[in-house]
Amino acid sequence: MRPQDLQEAKPGSLAEVAALYLKLGAIAFGGPAAHIAMMREEVVHRRRWLDDQRFLDLLGATNLIPGPNSTEMAIHVGFLRAGWRGLIAAGVCFILPAALMVLGLAWAYVEYGTRPAATWLLYGIKPVIIAIVLQALYGLLRTAVKKAFLAGAGVAVFALYLAGASELLLLFGAGALVLLVENGRRIPSVLGAGAAAPPIAAGLPLLTATVAASPAGYSALTLFLTFLKIGAVLYGSGYVLLAFLRNDFVVRLGWLTQEQLLDAVAIGQMTPGPVFTTATFVGYVVGRFEGAVLATVAIFLPSFFFVAAISPFVTRLRASPWASSLLDGVNVAAIGLMGGVTWRLANDAIVDALTAALALASLIALIRFRVNSAWLIAAGAAAGLAYGAIR
């Protein structure tokens, strides 16, 4: 029996898919790489739902579409194991535990976040968050920057973002530039043959034009469309989400302060599951329960459609030189955006010698000793509370 026939020969039940992803959604700390490692252990080694090659093929496919990689891996596996119902169940069950935890923390933040204890708690957590993002940036740089040309593109994106350029323009502009440079010799033959554009380019989201200009106050429709846009166009690590949130909710709409954005990231780090549940927190802060539900649904919804659309073409997309070079450009642009937004957020998080020391110590612990980020967040919170108590 071929490995690719495994799902068709041994279809699974909806209940087992839902149970697995509810469990993973409740315990999967550590970011997308850790989530995917846990999934591999469960579905390849323990349950034998698919083999390593098929798992790697699915992972390659998730890198070619926008959205949160670990959530999309859950959706892919659910679809292979239990069809369309499994696709929905796996995604929803992986997202739900974290979304509910973030919702509860968002309620507590709105009700009690301005109290002195909460202020000192976040004072200690914020520099740790900066270190966590820098560590993710360090790891991604080693993977994404494969040649000097890509390094130059990333630096250019970093500088242009700090100069005020649109993150969407930078993301897709860099992708298109690398695609053209890497495939320059193929373009004449493609044009001469009248072939269609690269398959992934045909699917680039056009939703950005539908998001209205900044309103005077909260609008449920604007909130939904803004998060739908982010979910439909965001490539790279979940930390790239920071650039989009800052541009849309701090700069364009003015619904969040920079400090609230850092608090949102802190809450997202304190909970398991997808980093994208930061949207739940932002939605609650600006629109309470209605906003939390709309934001959560909107940011994850595109992933379900993208996975459903790409599943029949996984092997072809993974091998496509067009898709591969576009992905290289988008990934390096995502790193440039991460660097730019981290620079700006660090100005608000690192405000004195203690916060600088917390950030540096956390970064060393993450890179040198691979300490779990959840422990560092707890230590930062304790340091902030202790400092507030003695002041």
Side-chain angles (χ1 to χ4, degrees):
M1 180 176 63
R2 298 174 302 165
Q4 61 264 37
D5 293 332
L6 185 60
Q7 182 268 331
E8 290 80 2
K10 295 182 179 179
S13 72
L14 191 64
E16 67 179 354
V17 169
L20 171 62
Y21 282 103
L22 275 174
K23 181 184 85 169
L24 289 177
I27 66 171
F29 287 92
H35 303 169
I36 289 169
M38 293 174 72
M39 285 186 207
R40 178 177 173 273
E41 178 65 23
E42 290 283 353
V43 304
V44 175
H45 293 294
R46 293 188 60 191
R47 300 165 191 263
R48 300 186 182 277
W49 289 357
L50 60 160
D51 64 7
D52 252 330
Q53 184 57 59
R54 188 62 178 269
F55 188 85
L56 287 171
D57 286 346
L58 296 181
L59 183 58
T62 64
N63 286 320
L64 295 174
I65 56 178
N69 286 0
S70 57
T71 304
E72 288 168 347
M73 279 296 292
I75 297 169
H76 266 302
V77 173
F79 179 63
L80 286 175
R81 187 63 181 169
W84 292 102
R85 295 188 304 159
L87 177 148
I88 296 169
V92 170
C93 290
F94 186 62
I95 295 163
L96 189 61
L100 291 175
M101 292 180 207
V102 171
L103 180 61
L105 290 169
W107 172 83
Y109 175 86
V110 169
E111 293 296 321
Y112 307 110
T114 57
R115 297 190 178 184
T119 300
W120 288 115
L121 186 80
L122 292 169
Y123 165 87
I125 289 175
K126 288 174 184 178
V128 178
I129 296 302
I130 297 298
I132 290 169
V133 178
L134 286 173
Q135 187 250 0
L137 188 60
Y138 172 75
L140 290 169
L141 273 170
R142 294 183 299 171
T143 302
V145 181
K146 303 171 183 176
K147 54 187 74 173
F149 169 65
L150 291 174
V155 171
V157 167
F158 173 82
L160 289 170
Y161 176 76
L162 290 180
S166 163
E167 75 279 1
L168 288 175
L169 179 63
L170 294 173
L171 202 62
F172 292 116
L177 176 64
V178 174
L179 183 148
L180 292 173
V181 170
E182 296 288 338
N183 295 277
R185 295 180 179 179
R186 295 186 180 91
I187 292 173
S189 61
V190 170
L191 294 176
I200 192 71
L204 290 180
L206 302 176
L207 186 62
T208 55
T210 69
V211 178
S214 176
Y218 168 72
S219 160
L221 179 61
T222 300
L223 178 75
F224 183 84
L225 290 177
T226 300
F227 274 113
L228 193 66
K229 174 200 73 173
I230 292 171
V233 302
L234 196 153
Y235 278 88
S237 162
Y239 295 110
V240 183
L241 178 65
L242 302 181
F244 284 80
L245 292 178
R246 184 184 179 278
N247 185 67
D248 281 321
F249 290 98
V250 177
V251 177
R252 183 173 67 86
L253 295 170
W255 291 355
L256 291 179
T257 65
Q258 195 124 289
E259 292 77 12
Q260 287 174 319
L261 176 59
L262 266 174
D263 296 343
V265 179
I267 295 298
Q269 283 294 315
M270 292 166 62
T271 52
V275 176
F276 275 42
T277 51
T278 302
T280 309
F281 182 91
V282 172
Y284 189 87
V285 170
V286 303
R288 299 305 183 263
F289 183 76
E290 174 196 61
V293 173
L294 289 175
T296 306
V297 171
I299 199 167
F300 286 107
L301 189 61
S303 294
F304 289 86
F305 287 98
F306 286 138
V307 170
I310 203 173
S311 284
F313 309 105
V314 166
T315 304
R316 187 175 10 161
L317 283 174
R318 186 172 181 266
S320 167
W322 295 95
S324 177
S325 56
L326 178 70
L327 181 63
D328 285 344
V330 167
N331 281 347
V332 80
I335 291 172
L337 288 175
M338 283 177 65
V341 76
T342 304
W343 176 271
R344 284 179 166 154
L345 292 176
N347 291 328
D348 292 314
I350 302 173
V351 295
D352 55 23
L354 177 58
T355 50
L358 282 171
L360 181 59
S362 298
L363 189 60
I364 293 171
L366 286 163
I367 293 177
R368 178 67 180 85
F369 302 105
R370 300 185 180 275
V371 176
N372 189 301
S373 60
W375 291 112
L376 292 175
I377 291 169
L385 288 173
Y387 185 61
I390 63 176
R391 281 196 53 140

